[in-house]
Amino acid sequence: MATFRFGQHIIKASAVFLQTELSFALVNRKPVVPGHVLVCPLRQVERFRDLRPDEVADLFKTTQMVADVVEKHFQGTSLTISIQDGPEAGQTVKHVHVHVLPRRAGDFQRNDSIYDELQKHDKEDEDNPAKWRTEEEMGREAADLRKLFS
């Protein structure tokens, strides 16, 4: 089975639901909200400034396409799209990635709490894989999303 590099992690192809010429999209092992997915460049690049212009264009085109699909699929009414670029911005995986989170009215008591959750979601229980979704759960979600792009 093919794999993808995501910073210090190896991602199985079963978790990836879309691949373009220069980017890929994957389900999240610890989603902040249902449908929280990631879009990444295929080339391992730590900081946004280090992407080539063609990679930036593909990353954002892919993010736009993914965002439209996940918002509809997960019955969202809005989206939070975020890049944490560098450790002081909350980046824990040393690979550029765009968080795409379908949003609904009232999903957080205080709307901007989503950013607090993004800041800590990878740090909490990092050494406790029991808190992560199983490969099977991630594979099922990715398979469902993959169908929406074919």
Side-chain angles (χ1 to χ4, degrees):
M1 177 181 285
T3 59
F4 294 79
R5 287 290 301 176
F6 179 49
Q8 61 270 36
H9 305 286
I10 301 292
I11 304 299
K12 290 186 176 182
S14 60
V16 173
F17 61 89
L18 180 65
Q19 182 177 343
T20 65
E21 182 182 350
L22 299 172
S23 303
F24 68 102
L26 67 147
V27 298
N28 201 318
R29 73 179 178 191
K30 290 187 346 185
V32 171
V33 295
H36 176 189
V37 299
L38 305 174
V39 183
C40 314
L42 282 168
R43 184 170 69 94
Q44 189 168 331
V45 178
E46 186 172 337
R47 297 293 307 275
F48 185 77
R49 66 177 173 237
D50 297 326
L51 291 170
R52 300 184 313 256
D54 60 336
E55 290 171 317
V56 172
D58 191 81
L59 181 68
F60 275 87
K61 181 180 174 189
T62 304
T63 297
Q64 184 180 47
M65 186 171 36
V66 165
D68 184 49
V69 168
V70 298
E71 181 179 4
K72 290 173 185 164
H73 185 69
F74 290 94
Q75 293 86 44
T77 54
S78 296
L79 293 159
T80 294
I81 298 171
S82 175
I83 298 175
Q84 295 161 298
D85 190 33
E88 290 74 28
Q91 181 184 28
T92 56
V93 176
K94 295 180 179 184
H95 188 141
V96 173
H97 57 285
V98 182
H99 293 264
V100 178
L101 301 99
R103 302 292 306 277
R104 295 184 189 148
D107 56 3
F108 286 89
Q109 186 173 8
R110 195 177 69 75
N111 192 46
D112 282 352
S113 293
I114 188 98
Y115 300 108
D116 299 330
E117 290 301 313
L118 274 174
Q119 185 80 19
K120 66 183 183 179
H121 93 284
D122 280 338
K123 292 179 183 176
E124 288 183 356
D125 307 310
E126 188 65 32
D127 297 322
N128 187 359
K131 301 256 180 163
W132 302 344
R133 295 197 300 169
T134 66
E135 286 183 23
E136 291 78 19
E137 290 172 309
M138 292 172 63
R140 281 192 301 274
E141 182 175 294
D144 288 345
L145 289 171
R146 206 173 293 122
K147 291 174 194 168
L148 301 173
F149 291 96
S150 52

